[in-house]
Each structure stands twice: as C-alpha cells, then as structure tokens.
Amino acid sequence: MPGPFEMILIFLVVLLIFGAKRIPEIARGVGKGIREFKDATSEFSRELDVEERRDRIDEPRRPSQGQPQPRQQSSAQPSSQGNADNEARPSSESAS
C-alpha cells in the first residue's frame, strides 16, 4: 500500500495528465465500473446458491400417514376359482 507521499505524487501526476475538469468524469466512470462489477459478482453468487440448493439432496423424511393397513379383497373379484367350486358343493362336515 502506498504511503501518504506516494499518494500525493500519484494524485499530482493524474491531475497533470488529465486536468481538473476530466478527473470527476473519470471518477464517475470508475465508480460505475466498480458498481457493475459488484452487481455481476453478487448475481453470480446468487445463481450458485440457487444451483447448490437444487442439487442438494434432502434427508429422507418419515411418512406422514399412520400405520399401514392390510389390503381388503373386493367382493366383485373372487380370489380364485377354487372358492366358487367350494361354495357350490356342500362340504361333508356340514352334512354330518
């Protein structure tokens, strides 16, 4: 980092080269350039944050429903052909 004497020397050289009228214009241009650079870097970091959140894998969550219930067979669909045959024939146990 330049010391105070070096800063004064640099300011005088800039004053001699560009003149007193052009220094404010140059300063405005440098300020706009710095602001645009900051905006671009902040936008870039925001995009990286969004992609990082999208790529992050969340921990698995517990199911929100209750205990699993057993499946019930509907009466419209018989479970097998054997049941229909058993219903048609009387069993020997019920005859005795």
Side-chain angles (χ1 to χ4, degrees):
M1 190 81 189
F5 177 72
E6 293 165 339
M7 293 291 286
I8 292 173
L9 183 63
I10 292 170
F11 180 71
L12 287 175
V13 169
V14 169
L15 183 63
L16 288 173
I17 292 175
F18 295 110
K21 292 182 181 180
R22 297 259 342 248
I23 291 177
E25 294 173 20
I26 294 170
R28 273 193 291 274
V30 169
K32 286 180 183 179
I34 291 172
R35 187 177 327 121
E36 288 179 13
F37 180 76
K38 284 183 178 180
D39 290 344
T41 56
S42 65
E43 181 180 341
F44 182 71
S45 63
R46 275 194 307 264
E47 287 179 12
L48 286 178
D49 289 342
V50 167
E51 286 184 20
E52 181 181 317
R53 283 188 217 131
R54 198 177 329 160
D55 293 342
R56 189 180 326 149
I57 298 174
D58 295 332
E59 291 183 25
R61 295 184 216 150
R62 295 184 146 251
S64 60
Q65 72 259 12
Q67 293 291 88
Q69 302 294 325
R71 293 187 180 191
Q72 298 175 353
Q73 294 179 350
S74 66
S75 59
Q77 297 177 345
S79 62
S80 66
Q81 289 285 344
N83 284 345
D85 293 339
N86 288 341
E87 292 174 5
R89 285 189 237 152
S91 65
S92 58
E93 294 174 11
S94 60
S96 29

